[in-house]
PDB file of all heavy atoms in Angstrom:
ATOM      1  N   VAL B1583      30.724  20.955   9.734  1.00  0.00           N
ATOM      2  CA  VAL B1583      30.035  20.789  11.026  1.00  0.00           C
ATOM      3  C   VAL B1583      30.613  21.811  11.991  1.00  0.00           C
ATOM      4  O   VAL B1583      29.869  22.416  12.779  1.00  0.00           O
ATOM      5  CB  VAL B1583      30.180  19.339  11.511  1.00  0.00           C
ATOM      6  CG1 VAL B1583      29.630  19.238  12.920  1.00  0.00           C
ATOM      7  CG2 VAL B1583      29.446  18.366  10.568  1.00  0.00           C
ATOM      8  N   ILE B1584      31.941  21.925  12.011  1.00  0.00           N
ATOM      9  CA  ILE B1584      32.586  22.823  12.967  1.00  0.00           C
ATOM     10  C   ILE B1584      32.185  24.286  12.706  1.00  0.00           C
ATOM     11  O   ILE B1584      31.910  25.072  13.640  1.00  0.00           O
ATOM     12  CB  ILE B1584      34.125  22.655  12.877  1.00  0.00           C
ATOM     13  CG1 ILE B1584      34.493  21.286  13.442  1.00  0.00           C
ATOM     14  CG2 ILE B1584      34.832  23.771  13.641  1.00  0.00           C
ATOM     15  CD1 ILE B1584      35.950  20.926  13.210  1.00  0.00           C
ATOM     16  N   ARG B1585      32.087  24.653  11.415  1.00  0.00           N
ATOM     17  CA  ARG B1585      31.612  26.012  11.086  1.00  0.00           C
ATOM     18  C   ARG B1585      30.207  26.232  11.648  1.00  0.00           C
ATOM     19  O   ARG B1585      29.911  27.290  12.234  1.00  0.00           O
ATOM     20  CB  ARG B1585      31.623  26.235   9.594  1.00  0.00           C
ATOM     21  CG  ARG B1585      31.143  27.629   9.199  1.00  0.00           C
ATOM     22  CD  ARG B1585      31.131  27.810   7.681  1.00  0.00           C
ATOM     23  NE  ARG B1585      30.409  29.039   7.370  1.00  0.00           N
ATOM     24  CZ  ARG B1585      30.095  29.393   6.112  1.00  0.00           C
ATOM     25  NH1 ARG B1585      30.440  28.604   5.098  1.00  0.00           N
ATOM     26  NH2 ARG B1585      29.461  30.534   5.862  1.00  0.00           N
ATOM     27  N   ALA B1586      29.348  25.278  11.454  1.00  0.00           N
ATOM     28  CA  ALA B1586      27.950  25.423  11.963  1.00  0.00           C
ATOM     29  C   ALA B1586      27.982  25.536  13.509  1.00  0.00           C
ATOM     30  O   ALA B1586      27.193  26.286  14.094  1.00  0.00           O
ATOM     31  CB  ALA B1586      27.134  24.211  11.530  1.00  0.00           C
ATOM     32  N   LEU B1587      28.900  24.785  14.092  1.00  0.00           N
ATOM     33  CA  LEU B1587      28.998  24.793  15.534  1.00  0.00           C
ATOM     34  C   LEU B1587      29.481  26.178  16.017  1.00  0.00           C
ATOM     35  O   LEU B1587      28.927  26.779  16.965  1.00  0.00           O
ATOM     36  CB  LEU B1587      29.990  23.729  15.979  1.00  0.00           C
ATOM     37  CG  LEU B1587      30.057  23.368  17.464  1.00  0.00           C
ATOM     38  CD1 LEU B1587      28.751  22.783  17.957  1.00  0.00           C
ATOM     39  CD2 LEU B1587      31.205  22.324  17.670  1.00  0.00           C
ATOM     40  N   GLU B1588      30.482  26.690  15.362  1.00  0.00           N
ATOM     41  CA  GLU B1588      31.076  27.995  15.759  1.00  0.00           C
ATOM     42  C   GLU B1588      30.111  29.140  15.535  1.00  0.00           C
ATOM     43  O   GLU B1588      30.172  30.140  16.232  1.00  0.00           O
ATOM     44  CB  GLU B1588      32.369  28.221  14.980  1.00  0.00           C
ATOM     45  CG  GLU B1588      33.485  27.289  15.377  1.00  0.00           C
ATOM     46  CD  GLU B1588      34.746  27.409  14.470  1.00  0.00           C
ATOM     47  OE1 GLU B1588      34.593  28.015  13.404  1.00  0.00           O
ATOM     48  OE2 GLU B1588      35.777  26.873  14.892  1.00  0.00           O
ATOM     49  N   GLU B1589      29.245  29.000  14.589  1.00  0.00           N
ATOM     50  CA  GLU B1589      28.249  30.063  14.288  1.00  0.00           C
ATOM     51  C   GLU B1589      26.960  29.910  15.111  1.00  0.00           C
ATOM     52  O   GLU B1589      26.006  30.619  14.881  1.00  0.00           O
ATOM     53  CB  GLU B1589      27.952  30.110  12.812  1.00  0.00           C
ATOM     54  CG  GLU B1589      29.193  30.517  12.019  1.00  0.00           C
ATOM     55  CD  GLU B1589      28.863  30.725  10.529  1.00  0.00           C
ATOM     56  OE1 GLU B1589      27.665  30.743  10.174  1.00  0.00           O
ATOM     57  OE2 GLU B1589      29.796  30.880   9.733  1.00  0.00           O
ATOM     58  N   GLY B1590      26.983  28.940  16.053  1.00  0.00           N
ATOM     59  CA  GLY B1590      25.822  28.780  16.919  1.00  0.00           C
ATOM     60  C   GLY B1590      24.635  28.102  16.286  1.00  0.00           C
ATOM     61  O   GLY B1590      23.496  28.202  16.780  1.00  0.00           O
ATOM     62  N   LEU B1591      24.886  27.451  15.121  1.00  0.00           N
ATOM     63  CA  LEU B1591      23.749  26.825  14.397  1.00  0.00           C
ATOM     64  C   LEU B1591      23.291  25.528  15.086  1.00  0.00           C
ATOM     65  O   LEU B1591      22.120  25.155  15.020  1.00  0.00           O
ATOM     66  CB  LEU B1591      24.211  26.538  12.990  1.00  0.00           C
ATOM     67  CG  LEU B1591      23.146  26.280  11.923  1.00  0.00           C
ATOM     68  CD1 LEU B1591      22.235  27.486  11.772  1.00  0.00           C
ATOM     69  CD2 LEU B1591      23.830  25.931  10.573  1.00  0.00           C
ATOM     70  N   LEU B1592      24.220  24.818  15.729  1.00  0.00           N
ATOM     71  CA  LEU B1592      23.941  23.518  16.253  1.00  0.00           C
ATOM     72  C   LEU B1592      23.423  23.616  17.706  1.00  0.00           C
ATOM     73  O   LEU B1592      24.229  23.515  18.648  1.00  0.00           O
ATOM     74  CB  LEU B1592      25.165  22.614  16.182  1.00  0.00           C
ATOM     75  CG  LEU B1592      25.752  22.409  14.784  1.00  0.00           C
ATOM     76  CD1 LEU B1592      26.879  21.374  14.823  1.00  0.00           C
ATOM     77  CD2 LEU B1592      24.686  21.994  13.777  1.00  0.00           C
ATOM     78  N   THR B1593      22.159  23.853  17.846  1.00  0.00           N
ATOM     79  CA  THR B1593      21.569  23.919  19.161  1.00  0.00           C
ATOM     80  C   THR B1593      20.867  22.653  19.556  1.00  0.00           C
ATOM     81  O   THR B1593      20.267  22.570  20.624  1.00  0.00           O
ATOM     82  CB  THR B1593      20.550  25.071  19.167  1.00  0.00           C
ATOM     83  OG1 THR B1593      19.562  24.850  18.145  1.00  0.00           O
ATOM     84  CG2 THR B1593      21.198  26.420  18.930  1.00  0.00           C
ATOM     85  N   LYS B1594      20.927  21.659  18.709  1.00  0.00           N
ATOM     86  CA  LYS B1594      20.321  20.356  18.963  1.00  0.00           C
ATOM     87  C   LYS B1594      21.378  19.240  18.798  1.00  0.00           C
ATOM     88  O   LYS B1594      22.363  19.476  18.133  1.00  0.00           O
ATOM     89  CB  LYS B1594      19.139  20.127  17.952  1.00  0.00           C
ATOM     90  CG  LYS B1594      18.012  21.160  18.172  1.00  0.00           C
ATOM     91  CD  LYS B1594      17.054  21.197  17.058  1.00  0.00           C
ATOM     92  CE  LYS B1594      16.067  22.295  17.287  1.00  0.00           C
ATOM     93  NZ  LYS B1594      15.123  22.498  16.162  1.00  0.00           N
ATOM     94  N   PRO B1595      21.132  18.116  19.410  1.00  0.00           N
ATOM     95  CA  PRO B1595      22.170  17.084  19.383  1.00  0.00           C
ATOM     96  C   PRO B1595      22.457  16.599  17.926  1.00  0.00           C
ATOM     97  O   PRO B1595      21.544  16.478  17.139  1.00  0.00           O
ATOM     98  CB  PRO B1595      21.580  15.942  20.252  1.00  0.00           C
ATOM     99  CG  PRO B1595      20.111  16.197  20.308  1.00  0.00           C
ATOM    100  CD  PRO B1595      19.979  17.726  20.256  1.00  0.00           C
ATOM    101  N   VAL B1596      23.738  16.371  17.683  1.00  0.00           N
ATOM    102  CA  VAL B1596      24.192  15.874  16.337  1.00  0.00           C
ATOM    103  C   VAL B1596      25.031  14.627  16.596  1.00  0.00           C
ATOM    104  O   VAL B1596      26.015  14.648  17.351  1.00  0.00           O
ATOM    105  CB  VAL B1596      25.022  16.940  15.621  1.00  0.00           C
ATOM    106  CG1 VAL B1596      25.539  16.359  14.344  1.00  0.00           C
ATOM    107  CG2 VAL B1596      24.173  18.212  15.354  1.00  0.00           C
ATOM    108  N   VAL B1597      24.656  13.561  15.949  1.00  0.00           N
ATOM    109  CA  VAL B1597      25.472  12.338  15.988  1.00  0.00           C
ATOM    110  C   VAL B1597      26.072  12.158  14.605  1.00  0.00           C
ATOM    111  O   VAL B1597      25.461  12.497  13.586  1.00  0.00           O
ATOM    112  CB  VAL B1597      24.657  11.105  16.416  1.00  0.00           C
ATOM    113  CG1 VAL B1597      24.019  11.294  17.766  1.00  0.00           C
ATOM    114  CG2 VAL B1597      23.677  10.691  15.366  1.00  0.00           C
ATOM    115  N   MET B1598      27.263  11.550  14.567  1.00  0.00           N
ATOM    116  CA  MET B1598      27.910  11.351  13.282  1.00  0.00           C
ATOM    117  C   MET B1598      28.527   9.948  13.243  1.00  0.00           C
ATOM    118  O   MET B1598      29.001   9.441  14.220  1.00  0.00           O
ATOM    119  CB  MET B1598      29.070  12.342  13.077  1.00  0.00           C
ATOM    120  CG  MET B1598      28.599  13.787  12.788  1.00  0.00           C
ATOM    121  SD  MET B1598      30.017  14.854  12.396  1.00  0.00           S
ATOM    122  CE  MET B1598      30.585  14.150  10.857  1.00  0.00           C
TER     123      MET B1598
END
Side-chain angles (χ1 to χ4, degrees):
V1583 172
I1584 291 170
R1585 178 182 170 189
L1587 192 63
E1588 292 173 344
E1589 294 186 11
L1591 198 61
L1592 303 186
T1593 57
K1594 297 166 184 174
V1596 175
V1597 304
M1598 287 185 68

